[in-house]
Amino acid sequence: MPKLLLMDHDGGIDDLLSLLLVLTMPDVELLGVTVTPADCYIEPALESSYKLLQLTGHEYIPLGRGDYAGINAFPSEWRARPDIINALPMLINLPKAPDPYAYPAAPDLLIDWLTQASDKVTILLTGPCSNLVLALEKAPELADKIEQIVWMAGAFTVSGNVQTYQHDGSAEWNVFWDPVSTRKLVEWQLPLTFIPLDVTNHVPVTKAFLSKLATQIDYPLSNLAGQFWALTLDTIPGYYYTYFMWDILATSYLAMPEQFKTQSVRMNVSTRPPNAGQTYLDEAGYAATIVTDVNVENFYEYLLTQFKR
């Protein structure tokens, strides 16, 4: 029986690649997609999401609009990337996407989908967790319908990737955007697996990988994925930042968990400066699973294989 999945993403290039990867997974039934306006402006990100569903024949999968604005905004130049995605040759001439203001509210859709699901549901988060927390606060009984939460978030034994004012650099962006909701989520004590920077730091977007992917240009998904990843090379200035396969690594965990090493821990999260959003090990904290390592070669090969579909 396929794994029932709900996905919440925040519109970045890595998020959209993750959606594309989910759509190649034969053992996953994607029930719905919600979008958080964190690493994106919501309107173009909804359009990008719809275009990918349309391109792959999945436009029947419902989309939900997140309107919660978070606490610490992503840089605006990062958030603008979906506009570029929508102009790529394989997407620009697709039929017009629906009105971005007509989509239902993301938390309400999560409630509806969990209520109607025939079995327990896995939730994949590649952005902040705010929509899920808002849904659980509104319908706490639905926590029992969650099989597992897989979340690309956190930094436990490595430095964070937040570089901004009044911050010490210890946090990862998906947590930093809304550390209060993160604290609420871990307090629920649901089966939560973090895919943190500790492991995503092992999988940068390299030109060697992009070169291999380019040899598959005759496969439409490989062609599109290559265009997506090529856009990451100047997303943020390379002299102080590297673009990693953050979200797509978390997504691949759904398909090949045996390629990852995990650790059961007690952890906590700070909600105040100067380390707002820091996730840290804490023996008096909350139970969670963190992924600590991955078979890097098998991961890259998996991506090359999936984008041949």
Side-chain angles (χ1 to χ4, degrees):
M1 181 176 177
K3 182 193 301 287
L4 301 180
L5 181 70
L6 292 172
M7 179 180 184
D8 189 289
H9 72 76
D10 67 334
I13 291 176
D14 203 25
D15 300 86
L16 296 169
L17 280 160
S18 296
L19 174 57
L20 200 62
L21 182 61
V22 165
L23 295 171
T24 72
M25 295 180 176
D27 298 327
V28 168
E29 181 181 347
L30 183 59
L31 302 177
V33 179
T34 51
V35 183
T36 297
D39 194 14
C40 68
Y41 292 103
I42 189 69
E43 292 81 12
L46 285 165
E47 181 179 353
S48 299
S49 300
Y50 180 79
K51 284 177 179 288
L52 293 185
L53 293 174
Q54 190 180 64
L55 183 72
T56 57
H58 295 86
E59 61 267 31
Y60 57 86
I61 293 176
L63 282 168
R65 176 188 174 112
D67 284 311
Y68 174 68
I71 295 172
N72 301 299
F74 275 75
S76 58
E77 60 268 28
W78 302 2
R79 299 179 67 196
R81 302 307 279 187
D83 263 336
I84 300 172
I85 293 295
N86 293 330
L88 290 175
M90 290 180 66
L91 300 180
I92 192 169
N93 289 325
L94 289 176
K96 184 174 173 58
D99 178 357
Y101 298 99
Y103 287 108
D108 292 341
L109 273 184
L110 288 170
I111 291 170
D112 289 345
W113 295 328
L114 286 170
T115 301
Q116 297 169 19
S118 58
D119 204 347
K120 286 196 171 188
V121 176
T122 295
I123 296 178
L124 172 66
L125 304 175
T126 61
C129 65
S130 311
N131 284 331
L132 176 59
V133 170
L134 289 168
L136 289 173
E137 288 182 330
K138 198 170 183 179
E141 70 279 3
L142 293 178
D144 291 337
K145 294 293 292 285
I146 296 174
E147 178 75 26
Q148 181 186 25
I149 300 167
V150 176
W151 187 16
M152 191 280 113
F156 291 90
T157 63
V158 298
S159 298
N161 60 3
V162 171
Q163 300 176 22
T164 191
Y165 298 103
Q166 292 187 310
H167 201 277
D168 64 6
S170 61
E172 179 275 326
W173 265 103
N174 285 342
V175 179
F176 178 63
W177 190 78
D178 186 3
V180 173
S181 287
T182 302
R183 170 70 68 81
K184 290 178 178 179
L185 181 61
V186 298
E187 286 174 350
W188 275 92
Q189 288 294 263
L190 295 166
L192 173 59
T193 298
F194 286 94
I195 315 293
L197 300 186
D198 309 55
V199 63
T200 62
N201 285 351
H202 300 173
V203 286
V205 178
T206 66
K207 287 188 177 180
F209 171 78
L210 295 183
S211 179
K212 282 188 178 180
L213 184 63
T215 67
Q216 303 178 177
I217 196 170
D218 291 337
Y219 294 90
L221 295 187
S222 291
N223 190 338
L224 185 60
Q227 293 177 44
F228 276 32
W229 266 310
L231 293 173
T232 69
L233 296 181
D234 73 341
T235 299
I236 15 195
Y239 53 79
Y240 74 91
Y241 215 116
T242 301
Y243 203 99
F244 293 92
M245 296 192 179
W246 299 289
D247 299 337
I248 208 159
L249 183 67
T251 303
S252 71
Y253 180 82
L254 300 173
M256 52 176 194
E258 72 283 354
Q259 299 297 326
F260 293 78
K261 291 182 180 178
T262 62
Q263 182 180 355
S264 298
V265 300
R266 291 270 173 182
M267 56 76 62
N268 219 318
V269 57
S270 172
T271 59
R272 300 176 179 175
N275 64 329
Q278 181 186 13
T279 49
Y280 56 94
L281 302 179
D282 178 3
E283 290 184 0
Y286 304 97
T289 299
I290 62 173
V291 172
T292 59
D293 203 0
V294 62
N295 185 321
V296 172
E297 183 177 351
N298 285 4
F299 164 69
Y300 284 124
E301 285 302 318
Y302 172 73
L303 297 183
L304 293 169
T305 299
Q306 289 304 107
F307 288 132
K308 279 185 176 181
R309 287 183 173 272

